[in-house]
Amino acid sequence: MTHRHPRFILRVFVASFLGWLTDGLGIDQPARGEDFALHDFKRQRLSGVYYSEGIAAGDINGDGQVDIVYGPHWYAGPFFEEKREIYPAKPQPRERYADHFFAWIYDVNGDDWNDVFVVGFPGTPAYVYENPGMGGQDKHWAKHQVFDSVCNESPHFTNLVGDERPELVCSQGGFFGYATIDPARPLAAWKFHAISEKVAPAPFGHGLGVGDVNGDGRLDVIVQSGWFEQPASPETAARWAFHPAKFAESGGAEMYAYDVDGDGDNDVITSLAAHEFGLAWHEQVREGGEIAFREHLIMGDKPEQNRYGLVFSEPHSVNLADIDGDGLKDIITGKTYYSHHNRSPMWDAGAVVYWFRLVRTPEGVDWVPYKADGESGIGRQIVVHDINKDGLLDLAAGGMNGASVLMHRRESVGKERWQEAQPKLLNAAVGR
């Protein structure tokens, strides 16, 4: 038997008591070794015109600065006061929807100039706008159709199968799958690889993710009804094994596999309904040797369903990144303002953007919400990127309210001021 000195026991008791007290008050301390810091975001409006549901960040003109692409325009960083057209600008009808839903900045053709890859309204083609390079930025860019129909409202452009190039993860014709770039002809049609039977809704569908669910080192594809396990040789597999799991009734946005509770396996993070309510993480558990999931609600359709009384609707895009630099990834989402016009619940309740700080405590996981903005809202895509290269992650969002960048600011403060600024806990029983 190991004997402890009375002073050690006292220290443990005091630490446990203080931890219980601060947790009960909704005050989660910063990680050990960090000072007390407040994080806020300053909005810079790029456009008040509705051009797109998507937005992207990257270096367009090769000057080493981060530029922003919103619809037909790219805005030159670091000040974003100069904009140029990629294609002829035409404001989109707010009573309907834009023809531009998602954008990514990537050098598709390998000429050392970043191109812009655009996915339009669900079920329509995808295009690469070819960067004209030095001396050609005053002209419209060449447009190349690379895919004839992109379905699902949360496609990913990411490296899924571990080769040298990213893939477009989406659905097409009722099949979940991914499209690959032909390195010999990158601006020609991309090849679609179906990984499922004909089970995907078309052309819309909500909820889609990429992440290593089972910890085998290969990225899987996550959908609202379960996950497709990537085989050892995806290039030769006809279909990927499907594992049913109920992540959402109707699905919401981008989905993630991440070890939320720190127990060594990856859990699943998702919004529950793109045009209604709900944000949750699903704890991975083992039942009879099989992977199963237990839902933990972060935010529902009533204030009492969130530990801090927060509720907003239409979380149509979700991102995951370490906003405060504590080593844990946080959830970034917001209201996709006017996403179904005035048909969604609380459609006019405010175009908010929030980040939810992940906190692990002995009592369980907490997601502490902080408002980043109350006017920009989000579209179908929210970007997290160190836009001004100051070491802090900034946000960019485009949608019915136009486009904005939200510049991240960090201020070191004393413990008392930090505690005063924290959201107040209202319902300790939720989500754990």
Side-chain angles (χ1 to χ4, degrees), residues 156 209-211 222 254-258 267-270 318-320:
H156 293 246
V210 173
I222 312 166
E254 299 91 342
M255 305 171 71
Y256 299 90
Y258 181 66
D267 313 296
V268 171
I269 296 169
T270 182
V318 172
N319 210 320
L320 190 69

Side-chain angles (χ1 to χ4, degrees), residues 63-311:
D63 66 353
Q65 300 295 330
V66 177
D67 309 307
I68 299 293
V69 169
Y70 172 62
H73 296 115
W74 69 272
Y75 296 79
F79 304 112
F80 310 112
E81 295 171 352
E82 176 189 0
K83 70 178 181 182
R84 298 187 182 183
E85 284 189 355
I86 298 171
Y87 58 87
K90 181 181 178 181
Q92 299 296 289
R94 292 185 83 226
E95 66 276 10
R96 295 194 294 276
Y97 295 102
D99 58 7
H100 184 302
F101 260 53
F102 301 91
W104 295 273
I105 296 173
Y106 177 71
D107 181 9
V108 176
N109 60 358
D111 66 353
D112 295 327
W113 288 91
N114 280 329
D115 309 298
V116 176
F117 175 48
V118 171
V119 169
F121 187 81
T124 64
Y127 301 94
V128 171
Y129 288 89
E130 184 181 2
N131 194 327
M134 186 68 69
Q137 300 294 340
D138 291 326
K139 303 175 183 177
H140 288 150
W141 298 16
K143 179 182 180 181
H144 305 269
Q145 180 175 318
V146 294
F147 203 64
D148 58 356
S149 176
V150 181
C151 299
N152 194 286
E153 292 192 42
S154 299
H156 293 246
F157 187 54
T158 187
N159 196 322
L160 173 67
V161 297
D163 57 8
E164 295 180 357
R165 294 170 180 81
E167 290 79 39
L168 172 64
V169 182
C170 62
S171 62
Q172 184 189 59
F175 297 90
F176 290 107
Y178 61 96
T180 53
I181 303 170
D182 180 353
R185 302 173 65 233
L187 299 178
W190 298 359
K191 181 180 179 180
F192 184 70
H193 307 259
I195 66 171
S196 75
E197 301 301 330
K198 195 171 183 178
V199 296
F204 303 105
H206 293 90
L208 187 62
V210 173
D212 183 3
V213 176
N214 59 353
D216 65 357
R218 296 187 290 270
L219 296 177
D220 309 303
V221 173
I222 312 166
V223 299
Q224 66 183 54
S225 58
W227 57 285
F228 294 92
E229 179 182 353
Q230 182 172 165
S233 301
E235 65 279 359
T236 60
R239 297 290 185 265
W240 295 12
F242 180 67
H243 303 271
K246 185 179 178 181
F247 294 127
E249 290 286 353
S250 60
E254 299 91 342
M255 305 171 71
Y256 299 90
Y258 181 66
D259 186 4
V260 171
D261 51 10
D263 65 354
D265 55 34
N266 278 339
D267 313 296
V268 171
I269 296 169
T270 182
S271 65
L272 300 179
H275 300 287
E276 295 183 10
F277 298 94
L279 183 66
W281 71 280
H282 297 259
E283 179 186 1
Q284 185 175 149
V285 296
R286 296 281 176 163
E287 295 180 354
E290 298 294 323
I291 292 176
F293 294 89
R294 181 182 300 123
E295 181 181 290
H296 298 266
L297 189 65
I298 300 170
M299 182 178 65
D301 62 357
K302 301 177 181 63
E304 56 267 29
Q305 292 177 312
N306 175 259
R307 288 169 60 82
Y308 301 88
L310 177 66
V311 60

Side-chain angles (χ1 to χ4, degrees), residues 364-380:
V365 166
D366 195 8
W367 295 95
V368 186
Y370 300 88
K371 183 190 263 189
D373 192 70
E375 295 185 23
S376 74
I378 64 173
R380 265 66 167 181

Side-chain angles (χ1 to χ4, degrees), residues 376-389:
S376 74
I378 64 173
R380 265 66 167 181
Q381 186 177 30
I382 183 166
V383 166
V384 181
H385 195 97
D386 183 3
I387 293 172
N388 58 1
K389 296 189 173 183

